[in-house]
Amino acid sequence: MAAKKIQFQNEQLIVPDNPVIPFIEGDGIGPDIWRAASRVIEQAVRLCWQGKRRIQWKEVLAGEKAHRKTGKWLPEETLQAFRTFRVGIKGPLTTPVGGGIRSLNVALRQQLDLYACVRPVRYFPGVPSPVREPQKVNMVVFRENTEDVYAGFEFESAGEDTRALIKYLAESKGWQIRPDSGVGIKPISKFASLRLLQSAVEYALAHGRKSITMVHKGNIQKFTEGAFRSWGYEFAGDKYADSVVSWEECHGNPPDGKILIKDAIADIFFQQALTRPEEFDVIATTNLNGDYISDALAAQVGGVGMAPGANINYQEGYAIFEATHGTAPKYADMDKVNPTSLILSGAMMLEHMGWIEASRKIESGLEKALASGQVTYDLARLMPGAEEVSCSGFADLICELMA
Ligand code: NAD
């Protein structure tokens, strides 16, 4: 069976039965969790389609392994492979210190313009949580990935151009900025805000979600965060008038088949995500808010080892699914850490490809494995009566239980 490329036509992925999928194994614990996750993904596909569908993995290099083998941290062939094959998956990568690249993850996102960072956050029974009712958390965060303070437009304190900028702003706007300040620029464009919001709305529609909340700090930052909110309402009202309804229109009770679109100021959102998480569903937010929100929500359902993620360009069909934690170098090659983040990212990838049955199989196998109390060290130490298993042992258990 010859392997084929995933294509993208009329804004749709066309997935052959035997797609080539590039993967980056990752640094540190990357090889351990990749071995575990790829085995679970393959087993789910095999159980669903008995060989009729099969992924043809293609290893591409990035990070320490790439540097060792090619002298480059992110070889051009790797970027080219993601462009050619469109959908890929990766383990965590070390951020090279003083290597000329700020972060390999940021570089990948920028090069492929992966503008939506998508983080589903849901609870699996049995997982230790710091909150009382973690089962009420079931959200999907859409974080804008390309602008905001993450654009990297910063002026260092006391630099020549910083002084010139401060002087210009004093003269032209009357703004008094202390002369020893560092200055950052926060761009939020209508273009980037709306393509992110569109992704969130389309996701909500496709997945039968109940509401979309735009989270922002528009009360203070009116022309950036505030604009994100007002462009969002305007756009949703124009383009999705038949499918969304605002809070004012329905007093919080959307008619059947309609999705409620609302907004929340970020600080209140953080409170309410703890006190009444059941009121939030799909979240659309700017880059910095999204960074904080995705980690805070992940903590409610079990922390870094558990949260999957993806960076996606829905308009061109590029998507890279990834473990959201780092390389945890002290646990490298010990077959010890929790592979769930990468396994669930694999399940997200299968769902994105339309291979829903396999995605569900992974989730159900994982649910049963967690409920069995045989878990990796990070969960075992917090779960009374749990038995610690290795990274590969946990993957074996999932494979066995999803049969
Ligand atoms: P980290 O996530 O690697 O580790 C922090 C701690 O979290 C670890 O010591 C470990 O106790 C725990 N942990 C992480 N993953 C786990 C897992 N799967 N199972 C169980 N426990 C787990 O964060 P760090 O120490 O800040 O970063 C180490 C390196 O990873 C740095 O080079 C950093 O730049 C990089 N990093 C990469 C990514 C990415 O590639 N997406 C994300 C974050 C950090």
PDB file of all heavy atoms in Angstrom, residues 267-297:
ATOM      1  N   ASP A 267      -9.459  38.830  34.139  1.00  0.00           N
ATOM      2  CA  ASP A 267      -9.298  38.562  35.580  1.00  0.00           C
ATOM      3  C   ASP A 267     -10.554  37.888  36.156  1.00  0.00           C
ATOM      4  O   ASP A 267     -10.461  36.960  36.961  1.00  0.00           O
ATOM      5  CB  ASP A 267      -8.947  39.837  36.354  1.00  0.00           C
ATOM      6  CG  ASP A 267      -9.647  41.061  35.822  1.00  0.00           C
ATOM      7  OD1 ASP A 267      -9.106  41.695  34.895  1.00  0.00           O
ATOM      8  OD2 ASP A 267     -10.742  41.361  36.292  1.00  0.00           O
ATOM      9  N   ILE A 268     -11.724  38.323  35.690  1.00  0.00           N
ATOM     10  CA  ILE A 268     -12.966  37.687  36.159  1.00  0.00           C
ATOM     11  C   ILE A 268     -13.044  36.258  35.625  1.00  0.00           C
ATOM     12  O   ILE A 268     -13.485  35.331  36.315  1.00  0.00           O
ATOM     13  CB  ILE A 268     -14.211  38.484  35.671  1.00  0.00           C
ATOM     14  CG1 ILE A 268     -14.161  39.906  36.181  1.00  0.00           C
ATOM     15  CG2 ILE A 268     -15.494  37.797  36.099  1.00  0.00           C
ATOM     16  CD1 ILE A 268     -14.160  40.038  37.670  1.00  0.00           C
ATOM     17  N   PHE A 269     -12.586  36.103  34.388  1.00  0.00           N
ATOM     18  CA  PHE A 269     -12.622  34.751  33.808  1.00  0.00           C
ATOM     19  C   PHE A 269     -11.831  33.773  34.684  1.00  0.00           C
ATOM     20  O   PHE A 269     -12.276  32.661  34.943  1.00  0.00           O
ATOM     21  CB  PHE A 269     -12.064  34.757  32.380  1.00  0.00           C
ATOM     22  CG  PHE A 269     -11.915  33.365  31.828  1.00  0.00           C
ATOM     23  CD1 PHE A 269     -13.019  32.681  31.339  1.00  0.00           C
ATOM     24  CD2 PHE A 269     -10.691  32.713  31.853  1.00  0.00           C
ATOM     25  CE1 PHE A 269     -12.898  31.374  30.872  1.00  0.00           C
ATOM     26  CE2 PHE A 269     -10.560  31.411  31.389  1.00  0.00           C
ATOM     27  CZ  PHE A 269     -11.670  30.734  30.900  1.00  0.00           C
ATOM     28  N   PHE A 270     -10.643  34.219  35.145  1.00  0.00           N
ATOM     29  CA  PHE A 270      -9.829  33.312  35.967  1.00  0.00           C
ATOM     30  C   PHE A 270     -10.584  32.898  37.237  1.00  0.00           C
ATOM     31  O   PHE A 270     -10.497  31.753  37.673  1.00  0.00           O
ATOM     32  CB  PHE A 270      -8.491  33.965  36.338  1.00  0.00           C
ATOM     33  CG  PHE A 270      -7.449  33.781  35.264  1.00  0.00           C
ATOM     34  CD1 PHE A 270      -7.144  34.802  34.391  1.00  0.00           C
ATOM     35  CD2 PHE A 270      -6.786  32.577  35.111  1.00  0.00           C
ATOM     36  CE1 PHE A 270      -6.202  34.632  33.386  1.00  0.00           C
ATOM     37  CE2 PHE A 270      -5.847  32.390  34.112  1.00  0.00           C
ATOM     38  CZ  PHE A 270      -5.548  33.418  33.244  1.00  0.00           C
ATOM     39  N   GLN A 271     -11.327  33.843  37.831  1.00  0.00           N
ATOM     40  CA  GLN A 271     -12.119  33.486  39.015  1.00  0.00           C
ATOM     41  C   GLN A 271     -13.212  32.503  38.659  1.00  0.00           C
ATOM     42  O   GLN A 271     -13.399  31.471  39.299  1.00  0.00           O
ATOM     43  CB  GLN A 271     -12.807  34.731  39.582  1.00  0.00           C
ATOM     44  CG  GLN A 271     -11.897  35.665  40.303  1.00  0.00           C
ATOM     45  CD  GLN A 271     -12.700  36.703  41.094  1.00  0.00           C
ATOM     46  OE1 GLN A 271     -13.841  36.465  41.486  1.00  0.00           O
ATOM     47  NE2 GLN A 271     -12.089  37.842  41.329  1.00  0.00           N
ATOM     48  N   GLN A 272     -13.965  32.855  37.595  1.00  0.00           N
ATOM     49  CA  GLN A 272     -15.142  32.038  37.279  1.00  0.00           C
ATOM     50  C   GLN A 272     -14.763  30.668  36.725  1.00  0.00           C
ATOM     51  O   GLN A 272     -15.524  29.716  36.873  1.00  0.00           O
ATOM     52  CB  GLN A 272     -16.042  32.803  36.312  1.00  0.00           C
ATOM     53  CG  GLN A 272     -16.610  34.051  37.002  1.00  0.00           C
ATOM     54  CD  GLN A 272     -17.606  34.801  36.161  1.00  0.00           C
ATOM     55  OE1 GLN A 272     -17.640  34.631  34.941  1.00  0.00           O
ATOM     56  NE2 GLN A 272     -18.389  35.647  36.789  1.00  0.00           N
ATOM     57  N   ALA A 273     -13.592  30.581  36.087  1.00  0.00           N
ATOM     58  CA  ALA A 273     -13.157  29.264  35.597  1.00  0.00           C
ATOM     59  C   ALA A 273     -12.945  28.320  36.772  1.00  0.00           C
ATOM     60  O   ALA A 273     -13.021  27.105  36.632  1.00  0.00           O
ATOM     61  CB  ALA A 273     -11.888  29.405  34.779  1.00  0.00           C
ATOM     62  N   LEU A 274     -12.688  28.886  37.956  1.00  0.00           N
ATOM     63  CA  LEU A 274     -12.559  28.069  39.163  1.00  0.00           C
ATOM     64  C   LEU A 274     -13.899  27.862  39.853  1.00  0.00           C
ATOM     65  O   LEU A 274     -14.203  26.768  40.325  1.00  0.00           O
ATOM     66  CB  LEU A 274     -11.607  28.738  40.161  1.00  0.00           C
ATOM     67  CG  LEU A 274     -10.116  28.658  39.854  1.00  0.00           C
ATOM     68  CD1 LEU A 274      -9.337  29.582  40.765  1.00  0.00           C
ATOM     69  CD2 LEU A 274      -9.619  27.227  40.025  1.00  0.00           C
ATOM     70  N   THR A 275     -14.711  28.946  39.922  1.00  0.00           N
ATOM     71  CA  THR A 275     -15.936  28.855  40.730  1.00  0.00           C
ATOM     72  C   THR A 275     -17.124  28.297  39.947  1.00  0.00           C
ATOM     73  O   THR A 275     -18.005  27.673  40.514  1.00  0.00           O
ATOM     74  CB  THR A 275     -16.320  30.235  41.306  1.00  0.00           C
ATOM     75  OG1 THR A 275     -16.392  31.161  40.207  1.00  0.00           O
ATOM     76  CG2 THR A 275     -15.288  30.732  42.304  1.00  0.00           C
ATOM     77  N   ARG A 276     -17.188  28.569  38.623  1.00  0.00           N
ATOM     78  CA  ARG A 276     -18.284  27.974  37.828  1.00  0.00           C
ATOM     79  C   ARG A 276     -17.811  27.610  36.424  1.00  0.00           C
ATOM     80  O   ARG A 276     -18.251  28.186  35.427  1.00  0.00           O
ATOM     81  CB  ARG A 276     -19.505  28.867  37.784  1.00  0.00           C
ATOM     82  CG  ARG A 276     -19.256  30.352  37.937  1.00  0.00           C
ATOM     83  CD  ARG A 276     -20.608  31.044  38.075  1.00  0.00           C
ATOM     84  NE  ARG A 276     -20.503  32.361  38.636  1.00  0.00           N
ATOM     85  CZ  ARG A 276     -20.937  33.457  38.008  1.00  0.00           C
ATOM     86  NH1 ARG A 276     -21.496  33.395  36.837  1.00  0.00           N
ATOM     87  NH2 ARG A 276     -20.813  34.641  38.594  1.00  0.00           N
ATOM     88  N   PRO A 277     -16.914  26.633  36.368  1.00  0.00           N
ATOM     89  CA  PRO A 277     -16.323  26.259  35.082  1.00  0.00           C
ATOM     90  C   PRO A 277     -17.339  25.735  34.075  1.00  0.00           C
ATOM     91  O   PRO A 277     -17.119  25.815  32.868  1.00  0.00           O
ATOM     92  CB  PRO A 277     -15.322  25.145  35.460  1.00  0.00           C
ATOM     93  CG  PRO A 277     -15.760  24.645  36.783  1.00  0.00           C
ATOM     94  CD  PRO A 277     -16.407  25.802  37.471  1.00  0.00           C
ATOM     95  N   GLU A 278     -18.475  25.233  34.585  1.00  0.00           N
ATOM     96  CA  GLU A 278     -19.474  24.654  33.666  1.00  0.00           C
ATOM     97  C   GLU A 278     -20.089  25.716  32.753  1.00  0.00           C
ATOM     98  O   GLU A 278     -20.744  25.396  31.771  1.00  0.00           O
ATOM     99  CB  GLU A 278     -20.557  23.908  34.460  1.00  0.00           C
ATOM    100  CG  GLU A 278     -21.461  24.754  35.330  1.00  0.00           C
ATOM    101  CD  GLU A 278     -20.869  25.107  36.698  1.00  0.00           C
ATOM    102  OE1 GLU A 278     -19.637  24.972  36.880  1.00  0.00           O
ATOM    103  OE2 GLU A 278     -21.633  25.536  37.579  1.00  0.00           O
ATOM    104  N   GLU A 279     -19.857  27.006  33.076  1.00  0.00           N
ATOM    105  CA  GLU A 279     -20.428  28.058  32.222  1.00  0.00           C
ATOM    106  C   GLU A 279     -19.549  28.381  31.025  1.00  0.00           C
ATOM    107  O   GLU A 279     -19.876  29.240  30.222  1.00  0.00           O
ATOM    108  CB  GLU A 279     -20.664  29.320  33.062  1.00  0.00           C
ATOM    109  CG  GLU A 279     -21.786  29.115  34.044  1.00  0.00           C
ATOM    110  CD  GLU A 279     -22.117  30.350  34.847  1.00  0.00           C
ATOM    111  OE1 GLU A 279     -21.627  31.453  34.507  1.00  0.00           O
ATOM    112  OE2 GLU A 279     -22.863  30.189  35.833  1.00  0.00           O
ATOM    113  N   PHE A 280     -18.391  27.733  30.936  1.00  0.00           N
ATOM    114  CA  PHE A 280     -17.487  28.030  29.817  1.00  0.00           C
ATOM    115  C   PHE A 280     -17.277  26.799  28.965  1.00  0.00           C
ATOM    116  O   PHE A 280     -17.189  25.679  29.469  1.00  0.00           O
ATOM    117  CB  PHE A 280     -16.149  28.551  30.346  1.00  0.00           C
ATOM    118  CG  PHE A 280     -16.299  29.815  31.135  1.00  0.00           C
ATOM    119  CD1 PHE A 280     -16.237  29.795  32.519  1.00  0.00           C
ATOM    120  CD2 PHE A 280     -16.529  31.015  30.495  1.00  0.00           C
ATOM    121  CE1 PHE A 280     -16.399  30.958  33.257  1.00  0.00           C
ATOM    122  CE2 PHE A 280     -16.689  32.193  31.210  1.00  0.00           C
ATOM    123  CZ  PHE A 280     -16.620  32.160  32.604  1.00  0.00           C
ATOM    124  N   ASP A 281     -17.145  27.052  27.677  1.00  0.00           N
ATOM    125  CA  ASP A 281     -17.072  25.946  26.721  1.00  0.00           C
ATOM    126  C   ASP A 281     -15.908  26.221  25.759  1.00  0.00           C
ATOM    127  O   ASP A 281     -14.759  25.954  26.097  1.00  0.00           O
ATOM    128  CB  ASP A 281     -18.446  25.883  26.015  1.00  0.00           C
ATOM    129  CG  ASP A 281     -18.652  24.610  25.262  1.00  0.00           C
ATOM    130  OD1 ASP A 281     -17.669  23.946  24.967  1.00  0.00           O
ATOM    131  OD2 ASP A 281     -19.807  24.277  24.939  1.00  0.00           O
ATOM    132  N   VAL A 282     -16.164  26.852  24.610  1.00  0.00           N
ATOM    133  CA  VAL A 282     -15.048  27.238  23.738  1.00  0.00           C
ATOM    134  C   VAL A 282     -14.599  28.640  24.155  1.00  0.00           C
ATOM    135  O   VAL A 282     -15.423  29.521  24.399  1.00  0.00           O
ATOM    136  CB  VAL A 282     -15.479  27.225  22.254  1.00  0.00           C
ATOM    137  CG1 VAL A 282     -14.383  27.807  21.359  1.00  0.00           C
ATOM    138  CG2 VAL A 282     -15.819  25.796  21.829  1.00  0.00           C
ATOM    139  N   ILE A 283     -13.280  28.815  24.273  1.00  0.00           N
ATOM    140  CA  ILE A 283     -12.715  30.106  24.681  1.00  0.00           C
ATOM    141  C   ILE A 283     -11.902  30.637  23.495  1.00  0.00           C
ATOM    142  O   ILE A 283     -11.089  29.905  22.923  1.00  0.00           O
ATOM    143  CB  ILE A 283     -11.740  29.923  25.873  1.00  0.00           C
ATOM    144  CG1 ILE A 283     -12.394  29.147  27.024  1.00  0.00           C
ATOM    145  CG2 ILE A 283     -11.161  31.253  26.343  1.00  0.00           C
ATOM    146  CD1 ILE A 283     -13.576  29.802  27.647  1.00  0.00           C
ATOM    147  N   ALA A 284     -12.113  31.911  23.137  1.00  0.00           N
ATOM    148  CA  ALA A 284     -11.291  32.523  22.082  1.00  0.00           C
ATOM    149  C   ALA A 284     -10.571  33.702  22.723  1.00  0.00           C
ATOM    150  O   ALA A 284     -11.217  34.559  23.343  1.00  0.00           O
ATOM    151  CB  ALA A 284     -12.167  33.010  20.932  1.00  0.00           C
ATOM    152  N   THR A 285      -9.265  33.739  22.603  1.00  0.00           N
ATOM    153  CA  THR A 285      -8.551  34.788  23.339  1.00  0.00           C
ATOM    154  C   THR A 285      -7.233  35.186  22.667  1.00  0.00           C
ATOM    155  O   THR A 285      -6.755  34.501  21.760  1.00  0.00           O
ATOM    156  CB  THR A 285      -8.344  34.343  24.815  1.00  0.00           C
ATOM    157  OG1 THR A 285      -7.849  35.456  25.574  1.00  0.00           O
ATOM    158  CG2 THR A 285      -7.366  33.187  24.931  1.00  0.00           C
ATOM    159  N   THR A 286      -6.711  36.298  23.131  1.00  0.00           N
ATOM    160  CA  THR A 286      -5.447  36.817  22.596  1.00  0.00           C
ATOM    161  C   THR A 286      -4.280  35.990  23.160  1.00  0.00           C
ATOM    162  O   THR A 286      -4.458  35.168  24.062  1.00  0.00           O
ATOM    163  CB  THR A 286      -5.292  38.295  22.986  1.00  0.00           C
ATOM    164  OG1 THR A 286      -5.520  38.401  24.393  1.00  0.00           O
ATOM    165  CG2 THR A 286      -6.294  39.179  22.256  1.00  0.00           C
ATOM    166  N   ASN A 287      -3.107  36.259  22.631  1.00  0.00           N
ATOM    167  CA  ASN A 287      -1.964  35.380  22.856  1.00  0.00           C
ATOM    168  C   ASN A 287      -1.534  35.257  24.332  1.00  0.00           C
ATOM    169  O   ASN A 287      -1.431  34.149  24.867  1.00  0.00           O
ATOM    170  CB  ASN A 287      -0.810  35.905  21.989  1.00  0.00           C
ATOM    171  CG  ASN A 287       0.197  34.832  21.634  1.00  0.00           C
ATOM    172  OD1 ASN A 287       0.286  33.827  22.310  1.00  0.00           O
ATOM    173  ND2 ASN A 287       0.962  35.055  20.584  1.00  0.00           N
ATOM    174  N   LEU A 288      -1.300  36.386  24.983  1.00  0.00           N
ATOM    175  CA  LEU A 288      -0.807  36.321  26.364  1.00  0.00           C
ATOM    176  C   LEU A 288      -1.877  35.762  27.307  1.00  0.00           C
ATOM    177  O   LEU A 288      -1.596  34.870  28.124  1.00  0.00           O
ATOM    178  CB  LEU A 288      -0.347  37.708  26.838  1.00  0.00           C
ATOM    179  CG  LEU A 288       0.221  37.761  28.251  1.00  0.00           C
ATOM    180  CD1 LEU A 288       1.472  36.907  28.393  1.00  0.00           C
ATOM    181  CD2 LEU A 288       0.545  39.209  28.647  1.00  0.00           C
ATOM    182  N   ASN A 289      -3.112  36.247  27.172  1.00  0.00           N
ATOM    183  CA  ASN A 289      -4.194  35.680  27.992  1.00  0.00           C
ATOM    184  C   ASN A 289      -4.274  34.171  27.786  1.00  0.00           C
ATOM    185  O   ASN A 289      -4.433  33.397  28.733  1.00  0.00           O
ATOM    186  CB  ASN A 289      -5.564  36.247  27.584  1.00  0.00           C
ATOM    187  CG  ASN A 289      -5.716  37.711  27.892  1.00  0.00           C
ATOM    188  OD1 ASN A 289      -5.087  38.226  28.807  1.00  0.00           O
ATOM    189  ND2 ASN A 289      -6.542  38.392  27.119  1.00  0.00           N
ATOM    190  N   GLY A 290      -4.164  33.767  26.525  1.00  0.00           N
ATOM    191  CA  GLY A 290      -4.298  32.345  26.185  1.00  0.00           C
ATOM    192  C   GLY A 290      -3.206  31.507  26.802  1.00  0.00           C
ATOM    193  O   GLY A 290      -3.431  30.356  27.191  1.00  0.00           O
ATOM    194  N   ASP A 291      -2.025  32.068  26.889  1.00  0.00           N
ATOM    195  CA  ASP A 291      -0.899  31.362  27.493  1.00  0.00           C
ATOM    196  C   ASP A 291      -1.224  31.051  28.956  1.00  0.00           C
ATOM    197  O   ASP A 291      -1.140  29.905  29.416  1.00  0.00           O
ATOM    198  CB  ASP A 291       0.341  32.261  27.384  1.00  0.00           C
ATOM    199  CG  ASP A 291       1.617  31.506  27.706  1.00  0.00           C
ATOM    200  OD1 ASP A 291       1.557  30.297  27.946  1.00  0.00           O
ATOM    201  OD2 ASP A 291       2.688  32.144  27.725  1.00  0.00           O
ATOM    202  N   TYR A 292      -1.643  32.077  29.686  1.00  0.00           N
ATOM    203  CA  TYR A 292      -1.959  31.882  31.105  1.00  0.00           C
ATOM    204  C   TYR A 292      -3.159  30.942  31.273  1.00  0.00           C
ATOM    205  O   TYR A 292      -3.161  30.046  32.114  1.00  0.00           O
ATOM    206  CB  TYR A 292      -2.327  33.218  31.769  1.00  0.00           C
ATOM    207  CG  TYR A 292      -1.242  34.273  31.761  1.00  0.00           C
ATOM    208  CD1 TYR A 292      -1.579  35.634  31.752  1.00  0.00           C
ATOM    209  CD2 TYR A 292       0.112  33.950  31.784  1.00  0.00           C
ATOM    210  CE1 TYR A 292      -0.610  36.623  31.770  1.00  0.00           C
ATOM    211  CE2 TYR A 292       1.080  34.937  31.796  1.00  0.00           C
ATOM    212  CZ  TYR A 292       0.720  36.268  31.786  1.00  0.00           C
ATOM    213  OH  TYR A 292       1.680  37.231  31.803  1.00  0.00           O
ATOM    214  N   ILE A 293      -4.190  31.205  30.452  1.00  0.00           N
ATOM    215  CA  ILE A 293      -5.448  30.448  30.618  1.00  0.00           C
ATOM    216  C   ILE A 293      -5.220  28.958  30.369  1.00  0.00           C
ATOM    217  O   ILE A 293      -5.686  28.111  31.130  1.00  0.00           O
ATOM    218  CB  ILE A 293      -6.529  31.000  29.654  1.00  0.00           C
ATOM    219  CG1 ILE A 293      -7.003  32.368  30.143  1.00  0.00           C
ATOM    220  CG2 ILE A 293      -7.713  30.032  29.533  1.00  0.00           C
ATOM    221  CD1 ILE A 293      -7.887  33.106  29.147  1.00  0.00           C
ATOM    222  N   SER A 294      -4.472  28.630  29.293  1.00  0.00           N
ATOM    223  CA  SER A 294      -4.349  27.188  29.004  1.00  0.00           C
ATOM    224  C   SER A 294      -3.608  26.461  30.111  1.00  0.00           C
ATOM    225  O   SER A 294      -3.962  25.328  30.449  1.00  0.00           O
ATOM    226  CB  SER A 294      -3.727  26.877  27.634  1.00  0.00           C
ATOM    227  OG  SER A 294      -3.188  27.955  27.007  1.00  0.00           O
ATOM    228  N   ASP A 295      -2.594  27.085  30.695  1.00  0.00           N
ATOM    229  CA  ASP A 295      -1.882  26.399  31.772  1.00  0.00           C
ATOM    230  C   ASP A 295      -2.709  26.344  33.054  1.00  0.00           C
ATOM    231  O   ASP A 295      -2.690  25.330  33.766  1.00  0.00           O
ATOM    232  CB  ASP A 295      -0.524  27.058  32.044  1.00  0.00           C
ATOM    233  CG  ASP A 295       0.540  26.513  31.100  1.00  0.00           C
ATOM    234  OD1 ASP A 295       0.152  26.064  30.002  1.00  0.00           O
ATOM    235  OD2 ASP A 295       1.733  26.526  31.436  1.00  0.00           O
ATOM    236  N   ALA A 296      -3.433  27.429  33.342  1.00  0.00           N
ATOM    237  CA  ALA A 296      -4.240  27.445  34.569  1.00  0.00           C
ATOM    238  C   ALA A 296      -5.341  26.391  34.482  1.00  0.00           C
ATOM    239  O   ALA A 296      -5.597  25.656  35.444  1.00  0.00           O
ATOM    240  CB  ALA A 296      -4.842  28.826  34.797  1.00  0.00           C
ATOM    241  N   LEU A 297      -5.983  26.286  33.326  1.00  0.00           N
ATOM    242  CA  LEU A 297      -7.054  25.291  33.186  1.00  0.00           C
ATOM    243  C   LEU A 297      -6.480  23.876  33.239  1.00  0.00           C
ATOM    244  O   LEU A 297      -7.068  22.977  33.838  1.00  0.00           O
ATOM    245  CB  LEU A 297      -7.820  25.496  31.879  1.00  0.00           C
ATOM    246  CG  LEU A 297      -8.656  26.779  31.775  1.00  0.00           C
ATOM    247  CD1 LEU A 297      -9.344  26.837  30.418  1.00  0.00           C
ATOM    248  CD2 LEU A 297      -9.700  26.870  32.880  1.00  0.00           C
TER     249      LEU A 297
END
